Amino acid sequence: MCRLFTAASAFLGASASAHILHHEVHQPHGLRELQVNLDLASTSASTTDYTCPVCGMSTLDSGYDNTNYVSMINGQRIYSCGMSPRSFDSYNFEVTDTAYLAANMAEFIVNQTDADAYAQCTNNCAECFDGINDPVTGGAVSTENYVYVCLKNGQKIYFASQSNKNSYLSSVNTEPRHLVDSVICNGAMCSDATNITTLSPAAQSFVADYSTAIAAIGTISDTGTSSISSDFCSGQGSVMFNGFQTSIHGSCVMLLFQPWVLNSGVKYAFGFIGCFLIALLNESLVKGREIVRRHLLASRKLRLNDNFHKMQCKALLAVLYMIQMTIAYFAMLVVMIYETGLFVALIAGFGVGHN
C-alpha cells in the first residue's frame, strides 16, 4: 500500500513538473508571436509627418506616431493628433479629435475657391505608389486617374474618378462618419468612436464644390505626378479669391472656363485684354440697342398696321438684349474672381466704352 502511494505521488510530481516545463517552453513562443504582431502594426503605420485637420498639430510628434487616424472604407487613412478628449462647441460632452474628425469630415473639406487653404494640398499622389483604393467603389487609385478632396492643413482623400469624388461630396454631410470604416486612437478603436450621433453645424452647412481640378501644367514633381507650377503663379486655377488680390506670384486664376488658367504672363495679358474688351463690348451693345430701337420706332410709324413687322422688331430687340445681358453676366463673373488686375481691366473697358 505504501509502495502504491509512493508511486502515485511520484507520478503526480512528474506530471506537475512536465506541465511547468511545457508552460515555460511555450511562453517564449507566445511572446515572440505578440512581438511579431506589434512589429507588423508598427510597420503599417505611416512615417509621414501629417498635420491634424482639427487642431493643426503634428501627427507624429508628442508620441502620437501616426497611431491616431480615421480609416475610410477600402483603407485610406486620415491622420489626427492624439490629444485626450476635449470640449467642442457643437457638443455638450468631450470627444477626441479623431472621433470629431471622423463624424464631421465635411467640416474640414477645403473647396478650390479658398485658394490659400487649397494650396496646402499638393497636386500629387505619393500614396498611390503604396496602392490605395477609392472609398466609394473600391477601385484602384493611381497616378494616372487620381482626383482628390482637400482637407484642412493638407491631407487628402483620393478617388479614382471625378464622379466618385462628386458622389462623396454630395453625401458627406448627410450623416456622421460617412464612408468611415473605423476610428483609431493609439492603435486601437477609439472608446468614443460612435459617441457623436449628429453632425456639427459647420458640417451641416458644408457646400460642395464640384468643379474639376485642372490637369497639371508645367513642372513634374519628384513623385512622378505633374502640377501647375510656374514663375508667374501657382495652383490649379482659382475661380474666386478671398478678397481682392493679384495672381502675379500668387495663386493662378481660372478665367470663366476650365481650360482658361492664366498661369503665365502671356496668358494673363490676353486675359486682361479680354476683360477690357468684354466691358467695352457691353457698353457698345447698350448704345447699339438704343440706336436700333430708334430706327425701329421710325419704321413702325410707316407700318402701323403691320403686326408681323411689329413682332420682328420686338424679336430683334429681345435678341440684342439677351446678347448684352450675357456679356454683362460674364463681366460680373470676372468681378467675382476678386483678381485686382482683371477688375481694373473691366473698369477701364466700361469707362472707355461709355465715352
Side-chain angles (χ1 to χ4, degrees):
M1 186 70 177
C2 291
R3 290 179 181 177
L4 181 61
F5 178 78
T6 302
S9 299
F11 176 77
L12 291 174
S15 298
S17 299
H19 177 74
I20 293 172
L21 179 61
H22 175 81
H23 179 72
E24 290 177 346
V25 169
H26 283 79
Q27 187 177 27
H29 174 73
L31 291 175
R32 285 196 300 272
E33 184 177 0
L34 177 60
Q35 185 62 47
V36 168
N37 290 336
L38 290 174
D39 290 342
L40 288 174
S42 62
T43 301
S44 63
S46 173
T47 57
T48 303
D49 189 4
Y50 297 102
T51 302
C52 176
V54 183
C55 68
M57 295 174 60
S58 166
T59 62
L60 271 181
D61 294 345
S62 304
Y64 298 149
D65 298 328
N66 280 346
T67 57
N68 305 276
Y69 55 86
V70 177
S71 181
M72 307 294 292
I73 291 176
N74 299 318
Q76 290 190 52
R77 294 179 179 180
I78 308 301
Y79 292 92
S80 65
C81 68
M83 285 197 294
S84 300
R86 60 189 180 99
S87 298
F88 289 88
D89 293 339
S90 304
Y91 306 104
N92 58 5
F93 52 88
E94 295 185 341
V95 291
T96 58
D97 286 41
T98 311
Y100 188 91
L101 173 64
N104 298 296
M105 193 70 72
E107 181 177 335
F108 303 98
I109 293 177
V110 178
N111 287 333
Q112 293 189 57
T113 51
D114 189 349
D116 293 336
Y118 196 83
Q120 295 186 51
C121 292
T122 55
N123 185 20
N124 58 44
C125 182
E127 293 87 344
C128 288
F129 293 98
D130 298 326
I132 56 174
N133 296 315
D134 190 308
V136 176
T137 64
V141 180
S142 69
T143 56
E144 303 298 326
N145 67 4
Y146 77 90
V147 294
Y148 58 84
V149 166
C150 177
L151 299 179
K152 185 178 179 181
N153 297 324
Q155 293 191 65
K156 293 166 283 189
I157 304 174
Y158 295 96
F159 301 87
S161 69
Q162 183 68 30
S163 61
N164 290 350
K165 172 186 171 181
N166 291 348
S167 174
Y168 176 77
L169 289 174
S170 65
S171 303
V172 66
N173 66 340
T174 60
E175 60 178 350
R177 293 173 293 278
H178 179 65
L179 294 188
V180 169
D181 181 61
S182 56
V183 187
I184 305 300
C185 296
N186 295 320
M189 184 67 71
C190 297
S191 59
D192 59 351
T194 58
N195 286 6
I196 295 177
T197 57
T198 58
L199 292 170
S200 68
Q204 293 178 37
S205 61
F206 167 73
V207 178
D209 175 13
Y210 298 108
S211 59
T212 305
I214 299 302
I217 302 173
T219 61
I220 305 297
S221 68
D222 293 337
T223 59
T225 57
S226 53
S227 61
I228 293 178
S229 179
S230 68
D231 294 334
F232 185 79
C233 64
S234 61
Q236 297 177 330
S238 175
V239 295
M240 181 183 292
F241 290 151
N242 291 328
F244 279 103
Q245 56 187 281
T246 178
S247 64
I248 301 174
H249 303 306
S251 298
C252 296
V253 167
M254 183 191 299
L255 182 59
L256 300 178
F257 302 100
Q258 290 181 3
W260 294 3
V261 179
L262 310 183
N263 58 351
S264 70
V266 173
K267 291 180 180 179
Y268 186 84
F270 276 110
F272 187 94
I273 295 171
C275 291
F276 177 86
L277 293 177
I278 284 176
L280 184 64
L281 180 58
N282 184 79
E283 290 300 307
S284 299
L285 279 172
V286 171
K287 294 178 180 179
R289 282 177 52 222
E290 181 60 23
I291 293 172
V292 171
R293 188 184 69 83
R294 290 176 181 176
H295 280 294
L296 292 177
L297 284 176
S299 64
R300 283 293 300 144
K301 292 179 181 179
L302 302 176
R303 305 168 64 176
L304 293 176
N305 297 323
D306 191 341
N307 290 329
F308 181 72
H309 181 258
K310 180 179 179 180
M311 291 176 58
Q312 287 180 316
C313 293
K314 287 186 175 181
L316 178 58
L317 290 174
V319 169
L320 290 175
Y321 178 75
M322 287 188 291
I323 294 173
Q324 187 250 315
M325 288 304 299
T326 300
I327 295 173
Y329 275 116
F330 276 136
M332 179 194 71
L333 292 173
V334 172
V335 172
M336 291 175 64
I337 296 175
Y338 291 102
E339 207 285 330
T340 306
L342 302 183
F343 177 76
V344 170
L346 277 177
I347 297 301
F350 282 126
V352 172
H354 184 70
N355 292 328

